[in-house]
Amino acid sequence: MKAINEMTMKLELFVLPVSDVDRARAFYEKAGFRLDLAKDVTEDFRAVHLTPPGSEASILFGKGLTTAAPGSAQGLYLIVTDIEEARAELVGRGIAVSEVFHDDKGIFFHGHDGGEVVHDSPGQERLAGPHPERASYGSYATFSDPDGNGWVLQEITQRFPGR
C-alpha cells in the first residue's frame, strides 16, 4: 500500500560531459541510441538528447550544458536481459566492449577505464565469462564513449522485490 504523501521520483535524464558534440552524437547513434533532439540554439549552446533502446531515462550532451570534465562520467549502467546478446549487438555496431565477466561474490561492480576493467574494489574479484548460474545482477561488460565516459552493461533477468 502506498503511504500518504509518498513522493515518486524517476531518474529521467543524465547530462554527459563530452568534448566533441558531433563525435559523441555519432558514437551514441552507432550504439543504437534513439535521437530525440538535436538543437543548435547559439554558437555557444548546443544540445543533443538521446535515449538507449527500451529505456525511460535518456542522456543529454552538448556545448554549454555542464562544467564537468569530458569523460568524467563513470559507472553509467545499461540493464540488459542477455549480456552476451547485448555485447554482440554493440560489437556488431563497431563499439569496443570488454569481454563479459562476473564477480566471484556477486558484488556490485565498479571500476573501469576505456572499456577495460583496470582494478577490482576491495572484496571483489573479476572472473571471465557470465555468472556461472546466470544469476540476475551477476554478469557485466563495459565500454566507453570517445571521451572516456564509462558504461557498464549488467544482466538482470529477475528484479529484486520492490524494484
Side-chain angles (χ1 to χ4, degrees):
M1 178 184 292
K2 188 173 179 178
I4 296 175
N5 296 326
E6 184 177 306
M7 188 182 322
T8 299
M9 294 183 181
K10 292 174 104 178
L11 179 62
E12 183 109 359
L13 185 69
F14 183 84
V15 178
L16 201 59
V18 302
S19 61
D20 183 319
V21 177
D22 296 322
R23 179 180 70 175
R25 176 179 172 178
F27 174 84
Y28 286 105
E29 286 183 319
K30 182 178 180 180
F33 287 41
R34 180 189 72 231
L35 178 64
D36 297 317
L37 172 77
K39 185 85 171 167
D40 294 349
V41 179
T42 68
E43 185 176 310
D44 296 319
F45 187 78
R46 295 179 65 194
V48 177
H49 180 267
L50 296 118
T51 303
S55 180
E56 291 185 26
S58 301
I59 60 171
L60 178 71
F61 56 82
K63 186 174 181 183
L65 296 177
T66 181
T67 58
S72 62
Q74 299 298 313
L76 302 165
Y77 273 65
L78 292 171
I79 304 308
V80 299
T81 57
D82 186 316
I83 192 79
E84 292 172 322
E85 183 180 297
R87 180 187 180 279
E89 172 76 18
L90 286 170
V91 168
R93 291 172 170 270
I95 307 299
V97 183
S98 75
E99 294 297 324
V100 174
F101 61 93
H102 66 282
D103 178 72
D104 71 330
K105 295 175 185 69
I107 297 173
F108 169 81
F109 169 77
H110 63 283
H112 68 89
D113 182 30
E116 293 298 323
V117 176
V118 294
H119 70 278
D120 293 325
S121 298
Q124 184 177 48
E125 182 182 353
R126 281 180 288 114
L127 300 173
H131 188 278
E133 290 130 31
R134 293 302 281 265
S136 213
Y137 297 90
S139 301
Y140 310 91
T142 62
F143 69 96
S144 294
D145 72 10
D147 284 297
N149 292 303
W151 293 87
V152 178
L153 298 175
Q154 181 181 34
E155 183 176 81
I156 298 178
T157 55
Q158 183 177 2
R159 293 226 174 246
F160 290 137
R163 290 289 323 252

